[in-house]
Amino acid sequence: MKTDTALSGKEAIEKIKKKHYDVIFMDHMMPEMDGVETTRIIRESFRDYDDVPIIALTANAMEESRSMLLVEGMNDFIAKPIEIRVTNLIHDLGVPAHIKGYQFLREAIILAVENEEMINAVTKIMMASLSASRIASAASKPLIPGISISRSAI
């Protein structure tokens, strides 16, 4: 899967002029042109996007907001914040989303990042249990069975 990002509605319009996308995740609030106006332009001016799902990303998850987004041409919405950076990190490490424990791993990372006491406790436990020889041997073994991670990623 390949993804692109646009920092504004205007930039999103420029990108779809050059490339066709299978799905669009549209932030509701963007500089220059918000997601609603951008979606309206896409739906009115780019007929090859009539059937392409546009999913709003919004901090306003109230039912009336959802209704307004649907009326404006979006197909659905996802309430923010979403921890996309954690998902991207796990993906970049090569962990397939379908493995048992994927969601637990994702939630554990988010919890550790959001809670300083949690990351400190995890670090203490990890450091206490690792010796220099174990670190050396761990670098040659996968941290997650079946997943290879380079030593520079550790």
Side-chain angles (χ1 to χ4, degrees):
M1 177 186 336
K2 300 272 185 191
T3 61
D4 287 326
T5 59
L7 299 177
S8 69
K10 184 177 178 182
E11 185 180 347
I13 297 293
E14 291 305 312
K15 286 186 177 273
I16 70 162
K17 287 179 181 178
K18 298 173 186 168
K19 182 176 176 183
H20 189 273
Y21 296 92
D22 296 323
V23 65
I24 298 172
F25 290 94
M26 182 76 68
D27 199 337
H28 181 207
M29 303 304 273
M30 294 185 293
E32 297 181 49
M33 183 186 317
D34 71 16
V36 172
E37 185 178 354
T38 304
T39 298
R40 191 176 306 122
I41 290 170
I42 291 170
R43 295 297 192 211
E44 291 172 359
S45 303
F46 299 90
R47 291 294 163 212
D48 54 331
Y49 279 86
D50 284 351
D51 295 325
V52 172
I54 299 178
I55 311 299
L57 304 175
T58 181
N60 189 354
M62 305 303 271
E63 185 57 38
E64 55 272 3
S65 295
R66 181 179 189 276
S67 298
M68 182 271 300
L69 295 169
L70 295 175
V71 167
E72 294 296 341
M74 295 182 181
N75 298 84
D76 209 340
F77 79 98
I78 298 173
K80 293 190 304 185
I82 50 176
E83 293 79 11
I84 195 72
R85 288 181 292 182
V86 173
T87 302
N88 286 343
L89 169 69
I90 294 170
H91 176 76
D92 289 347
L93 290 173
V95 179
H98 67 276
I99 67 166
K100 186 175 181 178
Y102 174 88
Q103 190 63 29
F104 175 78
L105 174 63
R106 186 178 174 282
E107 291 173 11
I109 292 170
I110 293 166
L111 179 63
V113 169
E114 291 176 346
N115 184 335
E116 187 176 337
E117 289 179 23
M118 178 70 68
I119 193 64
N120 289 339
V122 170
T123 302
K124 284 180 187 177
I125 292 168
M126 288 174 61
M127 293 308 291
S129 66
L130 293 175
S131 66
S133 64
R134 288 195 64 205
I135 292 172
S137 68
S140 65
K141 295 180 186 174
L143 294 173
I144 302 170
I147 305 299
S148 177
I149 302 172
S150 70
R151 183 181 178 132
S152 63
I154 297 175

